């Protein structure tokens, strides 16, 4: 077999392959054997029909077609390996010549991972927020904990800010009560902003048994985004009472004996969170700068698939769970479909560029993922998914998603290498040391940046492997 590769553009090639007919012998034998098992000819036992009889009765063309279909995946794989290219997706194959007993010639056009030159990233400089925890931050954290231990007691007076009211709701649009617009015995804290806009003003001043009507734009349900006439009836009013901020509260709400110990722990937790947020911010900013430096060609078909994947996931998963369709979503967002597609394409380009660039860094830096790193990442992913580690691991294995997780960790390590070489300072001008939180944050940033792009490229690679096999 002879093959040649022609570069059509930085992300697509054409393979031209010439195959001497003798190299099709195994496939021809297999074709005759397969046809033998599928047909019957009077006077011959099943499976024992001579080749010449099959040619006469069913045509040599049928045999050649079967043989070529059998041989093409293997021949294509050999040509890919010989050309040392990294194909993405299924090839477009065209048989240019088939002469019985002489030769088989074909071409195969396929998208490839582009050759990428890693830019000099040693000069990247970014500025991130300083890690500063104030007394008010600590007080706010303790107050949030205090809120969780608040108690309520019924009162016989008009509702005020901070009270907890039990209410019944009825929403009408164009004078008609919505099927999903009625709710009873809803508990609501006045001023929390957790329900409809305008409800606070409507219920304040009402005692149990009081009723009011107001207009508000619905946040969800069958009439999401529409103005509704909402009737609210207060059935009970209760006063919220917060526990005293003292050592007794600390013992009730935590494992600490004193309020000062509780506050010290809150400060520590806030510092750790802000350090992680700072590391994430550094990763994101360094990645943005790296993408500006690099030239990464994007395969057109891969980009098209990625845009379609993101659109499909939004329509059939996220919006489906919310009970709205894409036109309604665009109406709420105030966007045209053209604007939505343009934004989705921009996100897809960034995702693909990030994946290709970080994958190239993984290769050039010879980065590997060990079992401990993979397990730690799996545990984090399980926590964010709401599944137990065992359940998540089982779902990953059953879905053949292990390579995807390995890729996420490897790309995170690649991004961490770039961040380590970059100069990161905070808003106070201090150099930031990200060692403690760097790699974990990098993995999350890399995974979020590539998002569906990794799935799309890996899916296309998997399809290629099936084509080749």
């Amino acid at each position: 077999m002879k093959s040649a590769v022609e570069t059509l553009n930085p992300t697509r090639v054409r393979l031209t392959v010439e195959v001497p007919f003798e190299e099709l012998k195994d496939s021809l034998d297999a074709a005759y054997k397969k046809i033998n098992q599928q047909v019957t000819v009077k006077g011959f036992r099943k499976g024992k029909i001579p080749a010449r009889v099959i040619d006469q009765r069913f045509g040599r063309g049928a045999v050649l077609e079967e043989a070529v279909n059998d041989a093409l995946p293997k021949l294509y794989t050999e040509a890919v390996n010989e050309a040392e290219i990294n194909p993405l997706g299924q090839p477009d194959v065209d048989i240019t010549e088939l002469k019985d007993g002489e030769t088989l010639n074909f071409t195969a056009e396929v998208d490839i991972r582009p050759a990428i030159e890693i830019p000099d990233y040693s000069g990247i400089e970014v500025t991130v927020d300083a890690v500063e925890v104030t007394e008010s931050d600590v007080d706010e954290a303790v107050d949030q904990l205090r809120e969780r231990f608040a108690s309520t007691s019924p009162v016989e007076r008009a509702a005020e800010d901070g009270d907890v009211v039990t209410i019944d709701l009825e929403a009408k649009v164009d004078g008609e009560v919505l099927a999903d617009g009625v709710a009873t015995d809803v508990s609501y804290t006045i001023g929390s902003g957790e329900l409809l806009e305008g409800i606070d003003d409507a219920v304040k001043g009402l005692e149990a048994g009081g009723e009011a009507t107001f207009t508000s734009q619905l946040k969800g349900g069958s009439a999401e985004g529409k103005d509704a006439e909402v009737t609210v009836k207060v059935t009970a009013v209760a006063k919220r009472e917060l526990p005293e901020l003292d050592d007794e509260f600390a013992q009730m709400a935590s494992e600490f004996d004193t309020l000062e110990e509780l506050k010290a722990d809150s400060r520590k937790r806030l510092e750790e969170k802000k350090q992680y947020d700072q590391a994430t911010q550094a990763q994101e900013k360094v990645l943005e700068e790296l993408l500006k430096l690099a030239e990464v060609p994007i395969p057109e078909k891969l980009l098209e698939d990625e845009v379609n994947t993101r659109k499909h996931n939004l329509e059939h998963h996220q919006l489906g769970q919310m009970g709205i369709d894409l036109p309604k979503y665009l109406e709420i967002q105030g966007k045209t479909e053209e604007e939505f597609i343009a934004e989705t394409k921009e996100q897809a380009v960034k995702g693909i560029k990030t994946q290709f660039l970080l994958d190239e860094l993984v290769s050039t830096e010879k980065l590997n993922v060990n079992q401990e790193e993979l397990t730690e990442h799996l545990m984090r992913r399980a926590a964010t998914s709401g599944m137990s580690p065992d359940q998540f691991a089982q779902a990953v294995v059953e879905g053949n998603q292990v390579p995807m997780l390995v890729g996420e960790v490897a790309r995170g390590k690649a991004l961490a290498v770039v961040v380590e070489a970059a100069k990161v300072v905070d808003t106070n001008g201090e150099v930031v040391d990200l060692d403690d939180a760097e790699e974990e944050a990098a993995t999350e940033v890399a995974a979020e940046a590539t998002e569906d792009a990794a799935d799309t490229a890996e899916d296309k690679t998997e399809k290629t492997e099936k084509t080749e096999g």
Side-chain angles (χ1 to χ4, degrees), residues 95-248:
I95 298 173
T96 56
E97 187 175 27
L98 176 58
K99 289 185 177 180
D100 194 358
E102 295 183 28
T103 186
L104 164 66
N105 298 335
F106 68 91
T107 62
E109 288 190 17
V110 66
D111 285 335
I112 60 169
R113 278 182 175 263
I116 300 172
E117 183 178 343
I118 302 297
D120 179 8
Y121 49 79
S122 60
I124 291 178
E125 294 186 18
V126 297
T127 301
V128 296
D129 295 333
V131 173
E132 296 174 340
V133 178
T134 65
E135 285 300 322
S136 63
D137 291 332
V138 175
D139 291 343
E140 184 180 351
V142 174
D143 283 342
Q144 288 175 355
L145 181 62
R146 192 179 173 207
E147 290 280 348
R148 288 166 50 190
F149 287 85
S151 59
T152 59
S153 56
V155 292
E156 294 183 3
R157 60 164 172 76
E160 301 173 354
D161 267 329
D163 285 345
V164 178
V165 289
T166 304
I167 54 178
D168 297 337
L169 295 165
E170 181 184 83
K172 294 180 180 179
V173 173
D174 298 329
E176 297 291 329
V177 178
L178 299 171
D180 55 354
V182 178
T184 59
D185 293 329
V186 176
S187 180
Y188 175 66
T189 301
I190 299 176
S192 66
E194 294 174 351
L195 282 178
L196 299 168
E197 185 176 345
I199 194 169
D200 290 338
D201 291 335
V203 297
K204 278 191 293 188
L206 295 181
E207 298 183 19
E211 188 175 296
T213 300
F214 63 101
T215 300
S216 184
Q217 189 178 77
L218 298 178
K219 294 182 179 180
S222 60
E224 180 175 10
K226 291 186 177 180
D227 286 338
E229 182 183 88
V230 182
T231 300
V232 55
K233 180 178 181 181
V234 176
T235 59
V237 180
K239 181 181 179 181
R240 297 180 75 251
E241 296 177 342
L242 299 175
E244 291 294 327
L245 275 177
D246 52 23
D247 293 345
E248 186 178 339

Side-chain angles (χ1 to χ4, degrees), residues 29-50:
D29 291 343
Y32 279 116
K33 185 175 181 180
K34 182 176 181 179
I35 294 173
N36 243 308
Q37 299 300 322
Q38 294 175 338
V39 301
T40 57
V41 175
K42 188 175 181 180
F44 296 96
R45 286 183 296 166
K46 195 174 185 66
K48 299 296 183 181
I49 308 169

